[in-house]
Amino acid sequence: MKKWNYFLLAVFIYLLAIYGIGVVESQSEASNIKGFTDALWYAIVTLTTVGYGDSYPVTPVGKVISLTLVIGSIGVLGYLIGEITNKFNLYMEKKKTGFWGTNFENHYVIIGYNDFGRQVASQIVATGHKLAFLVNSKEKLDLIKDVFHFDNCFAMFADYNNDEAYDKINLTKSKAVFLNFDEDTDTLVYVLNLKKKYPNVDVVVTCKNSELKETFVNAGIKYVVSQTTVASRLVASYIFEPEVASYTEDLITTSRTENDFDMQQYKINTSGMYFQKSFMDIFLGLKKEFNAIAIGIVSHGKVIKNPPSDFVLTENDYVILISNGVSKKHLEKAFGVKEGK
């Protein structure tokens, strides 16, 4: 506040000097400054360093006051430029750190960042979905921006205890949140706090210690992935069913080309072409129209593998299928939704 008081005082003195020049110079017939308006014009030209030369003091007193005005102009101009530069730099710094937030909706959120999180994020971005990161390190923020410099990606630096940060990344409007911390204990503590504040948010976590999986489930986490369990199953499959394991690994990787295949899920809604169709009709239609294979459904939150042929899918059910990367955009048009939940 004192800073602005000093600035206002300087402006008052500056205007007083302009007024003084106008009064002194108007008393001289040889002067081209005939009043306050001319003096103000002279001051503005001097302040902006334009220097037209059409107005200038001729009296000794006017010249003395003008000297003060010129020196003061340097200070005022320097202060204004400095303030504008500081404000601009502050704005750009806030923009860089995501301070202004994002308007993303129906997006995915990753909290925490490491190499594993980078791989997860790459798969999500490849599907065309919007993704928001929240990290508590500027170093990690820079790493994210180096890799995910896309319009559908947003990254924010903030303290994890800052509730405003979750509003700025639209956490409650996201589809799912992935907690990506290095230690299981950090993840568990964070989960307890997060679910307390946002009980309706879908949270996905990974745990290195498979024995903690039940603990996470009891904490209200529906999707808990044990890294060791998944890895051990895949390794075991490679040992005695290598081709099956290779195929499985491909199916859980986002497809991008005609020769890439992956498993996808699409939501049934009233505007899609498969609303209130039987599973067999959907199976045959997908194979004929898109060379895609329906392998299961999700109904009322329950996954049904190889459902009955006459099972009718209604609004908010999901179809799980296998398709290549090229067919995705056509499938999204047919279902009327993007891939994913």
Side-chain angles (χ1 to χ4, degrees):
M1 192 67 182
K2 288 184 178 180
K3 188 177 182 180
W4 280 105
N5 288 337
Y6 289 137
F7 177 72
L8 292 175
L9 178 60
V11 171
F12 174 75
I13 295 174
Y14 193 77
L15 291 174
L16 189 62
I18 295 174
Y19 176 77
I21 292 176
V23 172
V24 172
E25 290 297 309
S26 63
Q27 297 177 5
S28 172
E29 295 182 358
S31 176
N32 48 28
I33 298 177
K34 300 301 183 181
F36 178 78
T37 304
D38 292 337
L40 181 62
W41 170 252
Y42 163 71
I44 293 174
V45 171
T46 302
L47 176 64
T48 56
T49 69
V50 175
Y52 286 123
D54 56 341
S55 298
Y56 51 87
V58 296
T59 66
V61 177
K63 290 180 179 180
V64 172
I65 299 176
S66 179
L67 179 62
T68 305
L69 190 68
V70 170
I71 297 175
S73 295
I74 296 174
V76 171
L77 185 61
Y79 177 82
L80 291 175
I81 293 175
E83 283 297 301
I84 293 173
T85 301
N86 288 337
K87 294 293 184 183
F88 178 77
N89 290 338
L90 181 61
Y91 172 83
M92 294 305 297
E93 178 65 19
K94 287 184 175 181
K95 182 178 180 181
K96 179 182 178 182
T97 59
F99 178 85
W100 306 111
T102 179
N103 59 359
F104 284 178
E105 294 184 11
N106 296 320
H107 59 299
Y108 297 94
V109 174
I110 294 182
I111 300 177
Y113 188 76
N114 52 28
D115 188 61
F116 182 75
R118 177 185 59 79
Q119 296 179 53
V120 173
S122 296
Q123 296 295 315
I124 296 175
V125 171
T127 64
H129 285 92
K130 295 178 180 179
L131 180 61
F133 296 90
L134 178 63
V135 293
N136 63 348
S137 164
K138 288 188 177 182
E139 181 181 355
K140 291 182 179 180
L141 181 71
D142 292 336
L143 291 174
I144 292 172
K145 289 183 175 292
D146 285 342
V147 179
F148 300 100
H149 44 80
F150 308 107
D151 292 337
N152 58 343
C153 292
F154 172 80
M156 181 177 184
F157 161 73
D159 190 308
Y160 291 145
N161 294 320
N162 184 357
D163 291 342
E164 290 185 5
Y166 301 107
D167 293 334
K168 290 179 179 179
I169 62 174
N170 282 343
L171 187 74
T172 57
K173 296 181 180 180
S174 66
K175 290 184 176 180
V177 180
F178 171 48
L179 301 185
N180 182 43
F181 299 136
D182 294 326
E183 301 296 332
D184 290 342
T185 52
D186 294 336
T187 304
L188 184 57
V189 171
Y190 193 91
V191 159
L192 294 173
N193 292 327
L194 187 68
K195 292 299 289 184
K196 183 178 180 180
K197 296 177 182 177
Y198 306 97
N200 297 323
V201 172
D202 286 338
V203 179
V204 179
V205 302
T206 61
C207 61
K208 297 177 182 177
N209 186 351
S210 58
E211 296 179 358
L212 289 176
K213 184 173 182 178
E214 190 66 27
T215 304
F216 280 105
V217 173
N218 293 334
I221 306 304
K222 185 177 180 180
Y223 305 107
V224 183
V225 182
S226 172
Q227 296 183 22
T228 55
T229 301
V230 173
S232 62
R233 289 175 180 174
L234 191 59
V235 170
S237 184
Y238 267 111
I239 293 174
F240 68 91
E241 292 178 327
E243 285 74 20
V244 172
S246 178
Y247 187 55
T248 301
E249 189 173 3
D250 287 341
L251 289 180
I252 58 177
T253 302
T254 302
S255 61
R256 305 185 186 188
T257 67
E258 185 177 2
N259 296 321
D260 292 335
F261 289 84
D262 71 340
M263 286 187 289
Q264 306 154 28
Q265 69 179 58
Y266 293 91
K267 189 175 184 179
I268 299 294
N269 61 46
T270 56
S271 62
M273 63 184 296
Y274 295 116
F275 175 64
Q276 291 187 335
K277 294 289 184 68
S278 70
F279 179 75
M280 179 56 72
D281 289 338
I282 295 175
F283 180 92
L284 295 174
L286 289 173
K287 183 61 179 177
K288 180 179 179 180
E289 298 294 331
F290 309 105
N291 194 29
I293 302 174
I295 59 175
I297 63 173
V298 180
S299 182
H300 301 290
K302 182 181 179 180
V303 177
I304 304 176
K305 306 168 186 175
N306 192 24
S309 300
D310 58 352
F311 189 100
V312 177
L313 281 83
T314 186
E315 188 176 9
N316 296 327
D317 288 342
Y318 287 86
V319 176
I320 301 175
L321 55 84
I322 298 175
S323 172
N324 62 29
V326 175
S327 298
K328 281 186 180 182
K329 60 182 179 180
H330 303 296
L331 286 166
E332 290 177 349
K333 183 177 181 181
F335 281 95
V337 295
K338 290 185 69 67
E339 171 194 2
K341 64 176 295 184

